[in-house]
Amino acid sequence: MKVSYNWLRDYLTTDLAAPEMSEILTDIGLEVDRLERVEAIPGGLAGVVVGEVLTCVPHPDSDHLNITTVNVGGAEPLQIVCGAANVAAGQKVLVATIGAELHPTGAEESFKIKKSKIRGTESHGMICAEDELGIGNSHDGIMVLEAAAKPGTPAAEHLQIKEDWAIEIGLTPNRIDAGSHWGVARDLAAWLNVNGRKVELKLPSVEDFAVDNRSKKIPIEVTAAEGAPRYAGVTITGLRQGPSPEWMQSRLRAIGLNPHNVLVDITNFVLHELGQPLHAFDASKIAGGRIKVQTCPEGTPFKTLDGVERKLSAEDLAICDGEGKPMCIAGVMGGAESGVGDTTTEIFLESALFNPVWVRKTARRHGINSDASFLFERGVDPDITLYALRRAALLYKEFAGGVISDEITDIYPEPVAPFRFEFSLARANALIGKELPRETVLGILAALDVAVESSQDDVLQVAVPPYRVDVRREVDLIEDVLRIYGYNNVELPARMRSSLSYAPRPDKDRLQNVAADFLSSNGFTEIMSNSLTRAAYYDGLTSYPAANLVKILNPLSVDLGAMRQTLLFNALEAVARNVSHRNADLKLYEFGNCYRYDAAKKAECDAAAAENRADVAENRDEANLLAPYKETHRLGIAVTGLTTQPSWNAKAEKSSFHTLSGVAEKLMHRFGFELTTMQAEPLASDLFAEGIVYRLNGKELLQMGAVAPAILARLDVKAPVYFMEMDFSLLVKAAAKKRTRATELSRFPSVRRDLALLVDKDVTSRRLRDVAFATEKKLLRNVTLFDVYEGDKLPAGKKSYALSFTLEDKTGTLTDREIDRVMGNLITQYEKQVGATIRA
């Protein structure tokens, strides 16, 4: 979620700088993921100043150029050649000085002002028109400022162009109270006031709201009260189309929204200001002149704003016209035919409180994820409904010429009550781990709008406002008190009490830490991602079929609709996010659980249960075998971009499959396993373009390879990515049987010999290694592949391997005769078993 720094300050009297504000927001639980400068004008008019034209004479070699001298507040005036017809001595103008970078209106590229010669005359700057500065579309001539403008004043200061900051907050699902600028400002004010930095928090006044006439009454009928606990609306007529005011457009642009027109922008503005979705219906299109909030018959066709025709469920709440025809899916998306258009002059403006469960089920049913559904699903403030309606109505009146043409109709039969419960100061201190003074706690509660209705000793009876849908229990409020007090303000105690615990053997956590330490020390970064993922990632896959997904019955969103089957997509999401932030050279790893549902095993379990098979209950291993749900703990490793950055003494080196295989080999060696001795076979998976799968004791331990381009395209990743996924649970079990032993280093030197072999293309280096160790078991210590060549200089169907063999005898120094015997045996077996030819 993005909020604008300047927009926040509309409600909060503070001089906090944006970076400091971001730090405070993170401390109070609204973690800031990114802080980005927003320029109202590209380049911010850096290097552009107010100038005064002192002299202006015609250029001797041109019939349309003038030579001017301009005072820009420096020691000497600047000589500038200007081609504008309206330039004259005595004018105050805007001058781009040498080095300034301009972003003209409509131009794709900027340009920099340089010292130049025009028709033989030096020019030390540029007197600018509106479009050349990017602040307008006019090119009729240079901008002429008022006479009071002071030479040397920066243009941004003179034009009062304010810099803004976009604050991107990683909003957690429970904190929807902070899902708007007002919500964030309210939380920020609570912290500032508690910490002695008194600020005033206020919303714009709506006291001027008044009915202008009663010429357009649209009655409301709510027949599905459970789905719409509160529904309010007002009619506004006499509207005129046009752009919204510049300040509103700049606010919307700062959070990444494109302004449309004043009728649409106002509802978007109020939504992001207050967190209350509004919907404007074209009043002239409401058949029957009345609104019905109801469900529709199963299968009722309805075309939404996105142009898709959907079949409504009998459980979907709809806003219908007087004839019962749906105009909007309540809280989710409006209709294509009833919304505001280019000819709209009168609207019915809706502000409501919809049942979060109804909205969530409807949004999931139709696969829609809108700004409105995001808020309604999590719970909006029931007490801000009418304020939002009045606020929007006044904006329509001021900026679109609207006339409020009837009283507000508000149907709210059962007002939502505050959340009331007991709050014990003693229990709060015990959970927080520090004794907080009573006055401090009471001050925090007041700052959080929590009313203390009564108290007895240290037990308070509190009432939490309805907009805090996540604070319904004492422990929730204790967490909120600590959040505002500050986690960093709770000191570690001088003495810590703990009990001894015996870790299982093998200790999975210890082995995971060993692996994590190894990877981190080798330049990898650990990531942590959600086990919930998009089910759509698995559409069409055969290696991880969508049918094997463990699906969530009531997902928070489409993006969190199923449990992951593989860590790959989480890694690719991290890659895509980092690349979009210009961090393209990545080495990532993650430990996480993966989940799988097997319908065949489910049927087998059902059959066993039907037969009342006691052996299933008695035999735990068989019961696990039959279980339809499987959870495995895995390790995923991804590399992409450069592994070596270019420098004066090193060339850039790109990530490759060998980067990944090298890490995998060293990691396995760290646990006492040799990857090269494991059973290996080509990887056949639609997730990978090519790769290898390794088996340990007949079970798949890991697979690694280059991610298939089709999979990368699903997440808009353009660079090659190499990925490895390991069944870490299997490694832990195998490690339990592994014993690490120390051996004495040999006192005798090892010997290296190289061979270049010409073999068929289908012969793998793994095959050559196996032949070598089968041939010489006593003296051969290692086989290393150091070169592979395939090219037109070799016979068709052939390739060349260059291998290095390390020989060592722990009982004595090897003689030439022994070395020649070993190498001769190797050459004989390579010729015999793989048809190799020794290259000179």
Side-chain angles (χ1 to χ4, degrees):
M1 180 191 80
K2 281 187 178 181
V3 295
S4 156
Y5 169 72
N6 287 340
W7 198 343
L8 286 174
R9 294 180 65 192
D10 289 345
Y11 318 114
L12 201 61
T13 55
T14 178
D15 56 358
L16 278 177
E20 184 183 1
M21 184 181 289
S22 297
E23 291 178 8
I24 294 172
L25 290 174
T26 297
D27 287 343
I28 61 178
L30 301 179
E31 185 176 0
V32 174
D33 293 336
R34 188 179 185 187
L35 179 64
E36 184 179 14
R37 191 188 303 271
V38 178
E39 296 174 335
I41 295 174
L45 297 181
V48 182
V49 297
V50 174
E52 180 181 7
V53 181
L54 301 177
T55 64
C56 178
V57 296
H59 194 294
D61 296 328
S62 173
D63 58 358
H64 68 282
L65 297 177
N66 293 286
I67 301 173
T68 66
T69 54
V70 185
N71 172 21
V72 293
E76 297 289 337
L78 300 180
Q79 178 175 281
I80 298 175
V81 177
C82 179
N86 66 327
V87 66
Q91 291 175 336
K92 299 292 179 65
V93 294
L94 291 179
V95 178
T97 57
I98 293 174
E101 188 169 357
L102 302 185
H103 301 257
T105 303
E108 294 184 0
E109 296 183 357
S110 61
F111 67 92
K112 186 172 286 189
I113 301 298
K114 300 176 181 178
K115 179 181 176 181
S116 61
K117 273 191 176 184
I118 302 176
R119 299 284 179 92
T121 302
E122 287 189 353
S123 182
H124 297 266
M126 176 178 174
I127 304 175
C128 301
E130 272 188 17
D131 62 335
E132 291 167 338
L133 294 172
I135 61 178
N137 297 307
S138 174
H139 195 69
D140 295 337
I142 59 170
M143 286 184 65
V144 179
L145 308 179
E146 64 277 8
K150 183 179 178 181
T153 304
E157 179 183 331
H158 176 79
L159 298 175
Q160 297 183 344
I161 296 173
K162 291 185 178 180
E163 175 190 81
D164 201 357
W165 294 82
I167 305 173
E168 189 169 338
I169 296 174
L171 192 67
T172 54
N174 63 311
R175 289 302 313 277
I176 198 60
D177 62 288
S180 64
H181 284 78
W182 171 245
V184 173
R186 182 171 51 200
D187 229 33
L188 190 59
W191 186 91
L192 291 171
N193 284 322
V194 165
N195 286 275
R197 301 165 72 169
K198 298 301 180 182
V199 295
E200 183 180 357
L201 180 71
K202 64 178 180 179
L203 280 169
S205 173
V206 293
E207 291 181 358
D208 292 338
F209 178 88
V211 177
D212 297 309
N213 61 51
R214 290 173 174 78
S215 61
K216 190 74 175 181
K217 183 172 182 63
I218 299 181
I220 301 172
E221 178 185 351
V222 179
T223 58
E226 181 185 352
R230 186 172 196 176
Y231 192 88
V234 67
T235 53
I236 304 172
T237 61
L239 295 167
R240 60 174 180 267
Q241 299 279 349
S244 53
E246 183 57 39
W247 64 266
M248 185 179 292
Q249 292 188 40
S250 65
R251 293 287 187 263
L252 294 175
R253 289 194 192 98
I255 59 172
L257 296 181
N258 291 321
H260 294 282
N261 59 57
V262 67
L263 303 188
V264 175
D265 290 350
I266 286 174
T267 55
N268 285 336
F269 176 82
V270 173
L271 180 145
H272 291 280
E273 177 183 51
L274 304 173
Q276 172 63 54
L278 303 176
H279 189 73
F281 299 90
D282 190 323
S284 66
K285 298 177 182 178
I286 302 176
R290 59 189 303 113
I291 294 287
K292 293 182 178 181
V293 184
Q294 63 183 36
T295 56
C296 297
E298 184 73 31
T300 300
F302 176 64
K303 183 182 286 189
T304 46
L305 272 173
D306 55 6
V308 177
E309 184 169 300
R310 308 175 190 274
K311 302 294 183 183
L312 298 183
S313 164
E315 297 179 353
D316 293 335
L317 185 66
I319 312 301
C320 302
D321 59 23
E323 299 175 357
K325 182 180 177 181
M327 301 186 296
C328 175
I329 303 177
V332 179
M333 185 174 282
E337 299 176 0
S338 61
V340 171
D342 294 338
T343 60
T344 299
T345 60
E346 54 185 21
I347 62 171
F348 173 80
L349 187 62
E350 163 198 283
S351 181
L353 171 66
F354 294 120
N355 188 310
V357 176
W358 283 49
V359 174
R360 182 164 56 247
K361 287 183 176 180
T362 295
R364 300 303 161 268
R365 193 177 294 123
H366 296 288
I368 300 174
N369 186 23
S370 62
D371 288 341
S373 67
F374 178 86
L375 291 164
F376 281 126
E377 286 176 24
R378 291 158 176 77
V380 300
D381 182 2
D383 295 332
I384 209 166
T385 307
L386 294 187
Y387 175 87
L389 202 60
R390 294 187 179 106
R391 170 76 164 143
L394 287 174
L395 290 173
Y396 278 120
K397 190 171 180 177
E398 181 176 359
F399 300 109
V403 175
I404 301 172
S405 300
D406 196 24
E407 298 284 354
I408 291 177
T409 301
D410 181 23
I411 300 177
Y412 193 23
E414 297 181 14
V416 178
F419 305 116
R420 292 185 168 88
F421 49 81
E422 289 185 347
F423 181 83
S424 166
L425 297 176
R427 279 195 294 271
N429 289 331
L431 280 177
I432 290 172
K434 181 177 182 178
E435 193 78 19
L436 301 187
R438 181 187 181 98
E439 295 73 18
T440 299
V441 176
L442 291 177
I444 293 174
L445 294 178
L448 292 171
D449 294 336
V450 176
V452 178
E453 297 183 330
S454 63
S455 65
Q456 185 173 0
D457 298 329
D458 68 343
V459 178
L460 312 178
Q461 186 67 35
V462 297
V464 178
Y467 68 78
R468 286 307 307 271
V469 294
D470 62 319
V471 182
R472 304 191 181 200
R473 305 170 300 166
E474 180 186 50
V475 68
D476 299 329
L477 188 54
I478 292 172
E479 180 186 3
D480 240 27
V481 169
L482 177 57
R483 182 174 63 83
I484 299 300
Y485 178 74
Y487 294 100
N488 295 334
N489 292 327
V490 178
E491 302 84 359
L492 287 174
R495 177 189 298 175
M496 299 187 69
R497 299 176 182 177
S498 64
S499 58
L500 292 175
S501 61
Y502 296 92
R505 292 183 181 274
D507 186 347
K508 185 194 77 171
D509 293 334
R510 187 184 70 80
L511 293 181
Q512 181 172 315
N513 286 336
V514 169
D517 288 344
F518 169 81
L519 291 168
S520 295
S521 63
N522 280 275
F524 283 78
T525 301
E526 184 174 9
I527 61 174
M528 299 177 69
S529 54
N530 201 332
S531 297
L532 298 175
T533 188
R534 290 175 62 93
Y537 285 152
Y538 298 87
D539 289 347
L541 296 183
T542 56
S543 52
Y544 292 98
N548 290 346
L549 284 169
V550 179
K551 295 188 176 180
I552 308 301
L553 294 177
N554 57 337
L556 290 173
S557 70
V558 176
D559 293 339
L560 303 173
M563 308 291 282
R564 64 188 174 195
Q565 295 189 67
T566 172
L567 299 175
L568 172 62
F569 293 111
N570 297 98
L572 292 181
E573 287 177 340
V575 169
R577 181 176 178 83
N578 276 274
V579 169
S580 70
H581 287 72
R582 298 184 179 182
N583 182 25
D585 305 323
L586 301 167
K587 297 165 70 176
L588 309 174
Y589 72 95
E590 178 178 17
F591 291 94
N593 292 337
C594 294
Y595 309 84
R596 187 174 185 272
Y597 169 75
D598 193 325
K601 288 186 178 181
K602 177 67 166 62
E604 194 175 346
C605 281
D606 293 341
E611 295 172 8
N612 194 23
R613 285 174 52 186
D615 61 321
V616 174
E618 293 172 3
N619 190 325
R620 186 173 182 181
D621 288 340
E622 185 174 352
N624 285 339
L625 179 65
L626 293 174
Y629 297 98
K630 185 177 181 181
E631 178 180 0
T632 56
H633 191 61
R634 299 193 180 187
L635 165 63
I637 301 176
V639 294
T640 185
L642 299 178
T643 56
T644 302
Q645 296 294 328
S647 65
W648 67 272
N649 62 349
K651 293 182 179 180
E653 185 177 334
K654 293 183 179 180
S655 300
S656 67
F657 174 79
H658 299 292
T659 307
L660 192 61
S661 62
V663 171
E665 190 173 331
K666 292 176 183 177
L667 178 62
M668 294 305 300
H669 182 75
R670 177 65 181 82
F671 287 100
F673 297 92
E674 294 301 326
L675 197 63
T676 53
T677 63
M678 293 184 185
Q679 179 187 351
E681 56 193 57
L683 175 59
S685 169
D686 46 6
L687 294 183
F688 296 92
E690 56 182 350
I692 301 176
V693 58
Y694 288 91
R695 299 186 183 279
L696 181 63
N697 301 325
K699 297 180 180 179
E700 183 179 307
L701 174 65
L702 65 89
Q703 53 180 233
M704 60 181 169
V707 181
I711 300 299
L712 296 176
R714 293 190 183 192
L715 289 97
D716 197 27
V717 176
K718 295 178 175 58
V721 177
Y722 303 91
F723 183 74
M724 184 202 84
E725 187 160 22
M726 176 192 295
D727 186 339
F728 199 74
S729 301
L730 179 59
L731 179 66
V732 170
K733 291 179 182 179
K737 303 174 184 177
K738 202 75 175 175
R739 294 292 180 266
T740 302
R741 294 181 176 86
T743 59
E744 183 181 0
L745 291 174
S746 176
R747 291 178 294 133
F748 304 99
S750 61
V751 175
R752 170 177 161 169
R753 291 290 185 270
D754 298 338
L755 283 179
L757 305 174
L758 185 66
V759 297
D760 293 337
K761 279 193 173 183
D762 59 353
V763 176
T764 64
S765 61
R766 176 61 177 268
R767 173 71 174 137
L768 299 180
R769 181 185 177 90
D770 291 344
V771 170
F773 278 105
T775 302
E776 179 55 54
K777 299 179 180 179
K778 181 182 177 182
L779 301 180
L780 184 60
R781 296 289 175 258
N782 191 26
V783 179
T784 304
L785 173 69
F786 64 87
D787 188 43
V788 180
Y789 175 71
E790 294 181 68
D792 54 8
K793 295 181 180 180
L794 298 180
K798 297 290 185 177
K799 63 181 174 182
S800 174
Y801 283 120
L803 299 175
S804 172
F805 301 87
T806 303
L807 306 175
E808 182 185 73
D809 186 350
K810 294 187 177 182
T811 63
T813 302
L814 288 170
T815 65
D816 290 342
R817 183 176 180 180
E818 289 174 308
I819 296 169
D820 291 342
R821 178 188 61 80
V822 171
M823 297 306 296
N825 290 341
L826 290 174
I827 291 171
T828 300
Q829 291 302 316
Y830 280 138
E831 291 173 343
K832 181 179 178 180
Q833 296 192 38
V834 299
T837 301
I838 307 303
R839 300 183 68 199

